[in-house]
Amino acid sequence: MWPDIIKKAKEGGLNTIQTYVFWNAHEPLYGQFNFEGRYDLVKFIKLVQAHGMYVTLRIGPFIQAEWNHGGLPYWLREVANITFRTNNQPYMSHMERFTKMIVQKMNDEKLFAPQGGPIILAQIENEYNNVARAFQGGADYIQWAGNMAVGLNVGVPWVMCKQNNAPGPVINACNGRNCGDTFAGPNHPSKPALWTENWTAQYRVFGDPPSQRSAEDLAYSVARFFSKNGTLTNYYMYHGGTNFGRTGAAFVMTRYYDEAPLDEYGLQKEPKWGHLKDLHNALKLCRKGLLWGTPSVQKFDAGFEARLYEIPESKVCVAFLTNTNAKKDGVMNFRGVEYYLPRHSISILPDCKTVVFNSQQVNSQHNARTFDVAKAAKENNQWQMYTEQIPTSRDANVSAKGPLELLNMTKDTTDYLWYTTSFKLDDDDLPMRHDIRPVLQVSNLGHAMHAFVNGKYIGSGHGTKIEKSFVFQKPMDLKAGVNQIAILGLTVGLPDSGAYLEHRLSGVHTVVIQGLNAGTLDLSQNLWRHQVGLAGENLGIFDEQRANAVKWEEAQSDTAVTWYKRYFDAPSGNDPVAVDMNSMGKGQVWINGESIGRFWVSYLSPLGKASQSIYHVPRSFLKPKNNLMVVFEEHGGKPKDIVILTVKRDNICTFVSAQHPAQIGTWSREDSQIRSVVGDAKPEARLKCGEKKVIRSIVFASFGNPDGMCGNFTVGSCHTQQAKSVVEKACLGKESCALPVSAEAYGADAGCPGTTSTLAVQAKCARKSKKD
């Protein structure tokens, strides 16, 4: 997917791609390195270079990133006397070794800028201010880390984001949503103002409601940063993507930053992608003033200001007219001309006269994402199942007095650890009343568990991202004689942030049974046996070559700890593919042996819906026919209702008024002056379909005072009936079209009371037919 994503990033006006370096991916076992396939860091950087773009390399090697263990390999926890990220010799020794290895790899391939390569900036450590107070040796460690990095002589600057006291020449940088107003600035006059993470929305964890950030607010933040002498802003994320496999950190969803300008599937999310593209082009028209001009500030009414960059001898003048008021529109008289500024907006004037961009006035098109059932994948919807054997106290292989800590047992090789024990009851121990049942009570350090009593599933429990520990309590049926308890304990990723990661614990803590005639029975110090991982997982039955290592039978619904499989044909066309898991509970999915990540649709957000129910299946994972899908379901679901989908952004819209600036492409810079490349620079509405698609229908068109959002427009009191026919004539059957924004073009009444002189259109794109 990367060539297309990088291409779209460059088309969107970016000139740099930023990437972390994932230590636990590249050195999963000590001394055993992996730079192959999707972990080929050199190939990725050269791919960016081939697209004519730069790279910022965030080596870390602690990265956080909502990535499993913050990028630190699990084996590092087992190094004697280690404490992560402080003045601790074992940690610093391993960190330095890995950092030097990555730098040497870059040097060998001549990838740093002085060697002609694309890497222009490198990062050591990450957001250390968040944990600095926890460590007595924190200041010494940061000084050491900075000196170590600078001493590698890579020829490009080093950065520490969220590190106010970045030492020596290391640049302190800002992370957040509004660094133009929240960043105190560089800690030395010789350092530039860098924004390493401008959050395009918010990463989400299971149980979270949707998170959004408008294109207008994002554009304002970037314009604000550059208006205040900012040097670099990096979108985090510009493309979010997918946490495949077990790569997401504790409770982090499989979908990552889907609200980015390029969504999880690599599709352009409009208007965010297009509005930022217009902003980037506007900033490029200002580059001479921004790079060499003298800055100044003019204050106007409360919340209104002009920030200028001027080179008088060259007649270069750049202005950012800003309205910081969150709820108040206004007019600014700047150099004898009145400029309308919507609330919370910035207008960019590359010549201090002409508005080429306003952050609140969106010229770019909008779109809405749809998911369509793939007909080919619907056929032969036949599922088979294999149910994990619930282990007894005789089956598991590691015994101890009391349940053992989960992470130390699994060592991040699996999410799962079985705990089993047995106990004996007499008839007199059981409740005498029929309305009383014994209750199993488990205190669990996190993250989740499923409980079985005498082979029967009795329920599940889980913590949250904020409070990972929880107490599980469920009634159960016991019998006279020997009873078996089996608990499937599990993690949903390892923690990625905070101090003392190496001391984090998980799994079953105490187990008691309440409601017996004999009183409370504490099993916490019983003999417990443990089994790491699942049988199907250890056998690799998600891979076609090993799927027949177990006996499959006809599938049934709502069975716990069960594997399901079916074959399906890939959907036709090139649209991205997804799988709808709404009918299932919690588990993991594999396609042709590739894990597409964890699903957890049974964990509802406060809005009563699953945080994520649709999961990305990259086309590169698919074959034309007979794709193997394997699902491991932890506590029950209906596999026959799993649906393969195709993903589109074929519903496109525009919403432009006569008060908007002209399209950014209208303007060019000649001899430091801004010129219109057309005779009359007026606002224009544009629609464009994706590759090999055309505008098939006009769903809505209105000029006057329409209202609503893409997919939900309504006409206003000044609507004109001619609008739809005019738009259809201009757009139907075409890949793209441009529409005037004027009353006369649509036979509208320019004097209609309440008119906003706005054009709103919704169109539907579809693949080209032969007649097209």
PDB file of all heavy atoms in Angstrom, residues 678-697:
ATOM      1  N   VAL A 678      -6.147  33.225 -14.108  1.00  0.00           N
ATOM      2  CA  VAL A 678      -7.356  33.396 -14.911  1.00  0.00           C
ATOM      3  C   VAL A 678      -7.728  34.862 -14.878  1.00  0.00           C
ATOM      4  O   VAL A 678      -7.269  35.627 -14.022  1.00  0.00           O
ATOM      5  CB  VAL A 678      -8.520  32.539 -14.368  1.00  0.00           C
ATOM      6  CG1 VAL A 678      -8.199  31.074 -14.467  1.00  0.00           C
ATOM      7  CG2 VAL A 678      -8.853  32.914 -12.936  1.00  0.00           C
ATOM      8  N   GLY A 679      -8.575  35.263 -15.792  1.00  0.00           N
ATOM      9  CA  GLY A 679      -8.913  36.677 -15.881  1.00  0.00           C
ATOM     10  C   GLY A 679      -9.643  37.203 -14.664  1.00  0.00           C
ATOM     11  O   GLY A 679      -9.350  38.297 -14.172  1.00  0.00           O
ATOM     12  N   ASP A 680     -10.604  36.441 -14.171  1.00  0.00           N
ATOM     13  CA  ASP A 680     -11.447  36.915 -13.075  1.00  0.00           C
ATOM     14  C   ASP A 680     -11.415  35.874 -11.966  1.00  0.00           C
ATOM     15  O   ASP A 680     -11.983  34.784 -12.106  1.00  0.00           O
ATOM     16  CB  ASP A 680     -12.887  37.114 -13.586  1.00  0.00           C
ATOM     17  CG  ASP A 680     -13.743  37.848 -12.583  1.00  0.00           C
ATOM     18  OD1 ASP A 680     -13.206  38.232 -11.530  1.00  0.00           O
ATOM     19  OD2 ASP A 680     -14.941  38.031 -12.848  1.00  0.00           O
ATOM     20  N   ALA A 681     -10.759  36.174 -10.866  1.00  0.00           N
ATOM     21  CA  ALA A 681     -10.589  35.208  -9.776  1.00  0.00           C
ATOM     22  C   ALA A 681     -11.838  35.210  -8.899  1.00  0.00           C
ATOM     23  O   ALA A 681     -12.014  36.085  -8.055  1.00  0.00           O
ATOM     24  CB  ALA A 681      -9.355  35.556  -8.956  1.00  0.00           C
ATOM     25  N   LYS A 682     -12.701  34.245  -9.155  1.00  0.00           N
ATOM     26  CA  LYS A 682     -13.925  34.117  -8.369  1.00  0.00           C
ATOM     27  C   LYS A 682     -14.014  32.711  -7.759  1.00  0.00           C
ATOM     28  O   LYS A 682     -13.376  31.776  -8.250  1.00  0.00           O
ATOM     29  CB  LYS A 682     -15.145  34.362  -9.260  1.00  0.00           C
ATOM     30  CG  LYS A 682     -15.305  35.809  -9.707  1.00  0.00           C
ATOM     31  CD  LYS A 682     -16.586  35.988 -10.515  1.00  0.00           C
ATOM     32  CE  LYS A 682     -16.779  37.450 -10.889  1.00  0.00           C
ATOM     33  NZ  LYS A 682     -18.040  37.642 -11.681  1.00  0.00           N
ATOM     34  N   PRO A 683     -14.820  32.568  -6.702  1.00  0.00           N
ATOM     35  CA  PRO A 683     -14.998  31.225  -6.119  1.00  0.00           C
ATOM     36  C   PRO A 683     -15.552  30.248  -7.139  1.00  0.00           C
ATOM     37  O   PRO A 683     -16.299  30.627  -8.059  1.00  0.00           O
ATOM     38  CB  PRO A 683     -15.994  31.457  -4.985  1.00  0.00           C
ATOM     39  CG  PRO A 683     -15.949  32.915  -4.709  1.00  0.00           C
ATOM     40  CD  PRO A 683     -15.607  33.586  -5.999  1.00  0.00           C
ATOM     41  N   GLU A 684     -15.187  29.004  -6.991  1.00  0.00           N
ATOM     42  CA  GLU A 684     -15.605  27.954  -7.911  1.00  0.00           C
ATOM     43  C   GLU A 684     -15.758  26.661  -7.117  1.00  0.00           C
ATOM     44  O   GLU A 684     -14.957  26.377  -6.228  1.00  0.00           O
ATOM     45  CB  GLU A 684     -14.547  27.796  -9.001  1.00  0.00           C
ATOM     46  CG  GLU A 684     -14.954  26.931 -10.161  1.00  0.00           C
ATOM     47  CD  GLU A 684     -13.883  26.909 -11.235  1.00  0.00           C
ATOM     48  OE1 GLU A 684     -12.746  26.475 -10.923  1.00  0.00           O
ATOM     49  OE2 GLU A 684     -14.161  27.332 -12.361  1.00  0.00           O
ATOM     50  N   ALA A 685     -16.802  25.899  -7.402  1.00  0.00           N
ATOM     51  CA  ALA A 685     -17.017  24.609  -6.742  1.00  0.00           C
ATOM     52  C   ALA A 685     -16.557  23.498  -7.678  1.00  0.00           C
ATOM     53  O   ALA A 685     -16.903  23.497  -8.857  1.00  0.00           O
ATOM     54  CB  ALA A 685     -18.484  24.430  -6.388  1.00  0.00           C
ATOM     55  N   ARG A 686     -15.799  22.553  -7.126  1.00  0.00           N
ATOM     56  CA  ARG A 686     -15.268  21.479  -7.965  1.00  0.00           C
ATOM     57  C   ARG A 686     -15.603  20.120  -7.387  1.00  0.00           C
ATOM     58  O   ARG A 686     -15.607  19.931  -6.180  1.00  0.00           O
ATOM     59  CB  ARG A 686     -13.749  21.621  -8.105  1.00  0.00           C
ATOM     60  CG  ARG A 686     -13.321  22.897  -8.812  1.00  0.00           C
ATOM     61  CD  ARG A 686     -11.824  22.995  -8.963  1.00  0.00           C
ATOM     62  NE  ARG A 686     -11.435  24.228  -9.634  1.00  0.00           N
ATOM     63  CZ  ARG A 686     -10.170  24.594  -9.859  1.00  0.00           C
ATOM     64  NH1 ARG A 686      -9.172  23.796  -9.455  1.00  0.00           N
ATOM     65  NH2 ARG A 686      -9.895  25.721 -10.470  1.00  0.00           N
ATOM     66  N   LEU A 687     -15.854  19.179  -8.285  1.00  0.00           N
ATOM     67  CA  LEU A 687     -16.122  17.794  -7.913  1.00  0.00           C
ATOM     68  C   LEU A 687     -15.193  16.892  -8.714  1.00  0.00           C
ATOM     69  O   LEU A 687     -14.962  17.134  -9.903  1.00  0.00           O
ATOM     70  CB  LEU A 687     -17.582  17.415  -8.201  1.00  0.00           C
ATOM     71  CG  LEU A 687     -18.659  18.103  -7.362  1.00  0.00           C
ATOM     72  CD1 LEU A 687     -20.043  17.825  -7.942  1.00  0.00           C
ATOM     73  CD2 LEU A 687     -18.586  17.639  -5.913  1.00  0.00           C
ATOM     74  N   LYS A 688     -14.677  15.852  -8.063  1.00  0.00           N
ATOM     75  CA  LYS A 688     -13.777  14.937  -8.749  1.00  0.00           C
ATOM     76  C   LYS A 688     -13.937  13.537  -8.183  1.00  0.00           C
ATOM     77  O   LYS A 688     -13.911  13.342  -6.973  1.00  0.00           O
ATOM     78  CB  LYS A 688     -12.322  15.392  -8.587  1.00  0.00           C
ATOM     79  CG  LYS A 688     -11.324  14.535  -9.360  1.00  0.00           C
ATOM     80  CD  LYS A 688      -9.911  15.057  -9.200  1.00  0.00           C
ATOM     81  CE  LYS A 688      -8.920  14.213  -9.990  1.00  0.00           C
ATOM     82  NZ  LYS A 688      -7.525  14.704  -9.849  1.00  0.00           N
ATOM     83  N   CYS A 689     -14.106  12.564  -9.080  1.00  0.00           N
ATOM     84  CA  CYS A 689     -14.212  11.159  -8.669  1.00  0.00           C
ATOM     85  C   CYS A 689     -12.821  10.537  -8.595  1.00  0.00           C
ATOM     86  O   CYS A 689     -11.841  11.088  -9.095  1.00  0.00           O
ATOM     87  CB  CYS A 689     -15.070  10.371  -9.648  1.00  0.00           C
ATOM     88  SG  CYS A 689     -16.807  10.862  -9.658  1.00  0.00           S
ATOM     89  N   GLY A 690     -12.765   9.356  -7.977  1.00  0.00           N
ATOM     90  CA  GLY A 690     -11.522   8.623  -7.901  1.00  0.00           C
ATOM     91  C   GLY A 690     -11.124   8.048  -9.234  1.00  0.00           C
ATOM     92  O   GLY A 690     -11.841   8.161 -10.243  1.00  0.00           O
ATOM     93  N   GLU A 691      -9.993   7.376  -9.242  1.00  0.00           N
ATOM     94  CA  GLU A 691      -9.426   6.831 -10.471  1.00  0.00           C
ATOM     95  C   GLU A 691     -10.397   5.866 -11.147  1.00  0.00           C
ATOM     96  O   GLU A 691     -11.005   5.015 -10.504  1.00  0.00           O
ATOM     97  CB  GLU A 691      -8.118   6.101 -10.132  1.00  0.00           C
ATOM     98  CG  GLU A 691      -7.327   5.685 -11.343  1.00  0.00           C
ATOM     99  CD  GLU A 691      -6.008   5.039 -10.960  1.00  0.00           C
ATOM    100  OE1 GLU A 691      -5.707   5.000  -9.753  1.00  0.00           O
ATOM    101  OE2 GLU A 691      -5.305   4.570 -11.863  1.00  0.00           O
ATOM    102  N   LYS A 692     -10.568   6.033 -12.471  1.00  0.00           N
ATOM    103  CA  LYS A 692     -11.407   5.187 -13.324  1.00  0.00           C
ATOM    104  C   LYS A 692     -12.884   5.225 -12.927  1.00  0.00           C
ATOM    105  O   LYS A 692     -13.635   4.277 -13.154  1.00  0.00           O
ATOM    106  CB  LYS A 692     -10.900   3.739 -13.314  1.00  0.00           C
ATOM    107  CG  LYS A 692      -9.494   3.593 -13.881  1.00  0.00           C
ATOM    108  CD  LYS A 692      -9.032   2.143 -13.880  1.00  0.00           C
ATOM    109  CE  LYS A 692      -7.626   2.029 -14.452  1.00  0.00           C
ATOM    110  NZ  LYS A 692      -7.120   0.643 -14.443  1.00  0.00           N
ATOM    111  N   LYS A 693     -13.303   6.340 -12.315  1.00  0.00           N
ATOM    112  CA  LYS A 693     -14.708   6.511 -11.963  1.00  0.00           C
ATOM    113  C   LYS A 693     -15.211   7.848 -12.496  1.00  0.00           C
ATOM    114  O   LYS A 693     -14.432   8.787 -12.685  1.00  0.00           O
ATOM    115  CB  LYS A 693     -14.903   6.447 -10.440  1.00  0.00           C
ATOM    116  CG  LYS A 693     -14.611   5.071  -9.859  1.00  0.00           C
ATOM    117  CD  LYS A 693     -14.871   5.011  -8.368  1.00  0.00           C
ATOM    118  CE  LYS A 693     -14.590   3.604  -7.826  1.00  0.00           C
ATOM    119  NZ  LYS A 693     -14.853   3.510  -6.372  1.00  0.00           N
ATOM    120  N   VAL A 694     -16.512   7.910 -12.754  1.00  0.00           N
ATOM    121  CA  VAL A 694     -17.121   9.133 -13.274  1.00  0.00           C
ATOM    122  C   VAL A 694     -18.347   9.485 -12.435  1.00  0.00           C
ATOM    123  O   VAL A 694     -18.863   8.664 -11.672  1.00  0.00           O
ATOM    124  CB  VAL A 694     -17.537   8.976 -14.750  1.00  0.00           C
ATOM    125  CG1 VAL A 694     -16.330   8.727 -15.637  1.00  0.00           C
ATOM    126  CG2 VAL A 694     -18.560   7.851 -14.917  1.00  0.00           C
ATOM    127  N   ILE A 695     -18.805  10.717 -12.582  1.00  0.00           N
ATOM    128  CA  ILE A 695     -20.005  11.171 -11.873  1.00  0.00           C
ATOM    129  C   ILE A 695     -21.218  10.550 -12.560  1.00  0.00           C
ATOM    130  O   ILE A 695     -21.534  10.868 -13.715  1.00  0.00           O
ATOM    131  CB  ILE A 695     -20.089  12.703 -11.861  1.00  0.00           C
ATOM    132  CG1 ILE A 695     -18.883  13.280 -11.107  1.00  0.00           C
ATOM    133  CG2 ILE A 695     -21.395  13.174 -11.237  1.00  0.00           C
ATOM    134  CD1 ILE A 695     -18.735  14.784 -11.210  1.00  0.00           C
ATOM    135  N   ARG A 696     -21.891   9.645 -11.857  1.00  0.00           N
ATOM    136  CA  ARG A 696     -23.002   8.898 -12.439  1.00  0.00           C
ATOM    137  C   ARG A 696     -24.347   9.571 -12.186  1.00  0.00           C
ATOM    138  O   ARG A 696     -25.262   9.488 -13.000  1.00  0.00           O
ATOM    139  CB  ARG A 696     -23.009   7.478 -11.866  1.00  0.00           C
ATOM    140  CG  ARG A 696     -24.058   6.561 -12.467  1.00  0.00           C
ATOM    141  CD  ARG A 696     -23.766   6.204 -13.908  1.00  0.00           C
ATOM    142  NE  ARG A 696     -22.576   5.395 -14.050  1.00  0.00           N
ATOM    143  CZ  ARG A 696     -21.769   5.439 -15.105  1.00  0.00           C
ATOM    144  NH1 ARG A 696     -22.026   6.266 -16.088  1.00  0.00           N
ATOM    145  NH2 ARG A 696     -20.704   4.669 -15.174  1.00  0.00           N
ATOM    146  N   SER A 697     -24.493  10.272 -11.044  1.00  0.00           N
ATOM    147  CA  SER A 697     -25.762  10.919 -10.753  1.00  0.00           C
ATOM    148  C   SER A 697     -25.546  12.111  -9.835  1.00  0.00           C
ATOM    149  O   SER A 697     -24.572  12.172  -9.088  1.00  0.00           O
ATOM    150  CB  SER A 697     -26.738   9.935 -10.100  1.00  0.00           C
ATOM    151  OG  SER A 697     -26.247   9.492  -8.847  1.00  0.00           O
TER     152      SER A 697
END
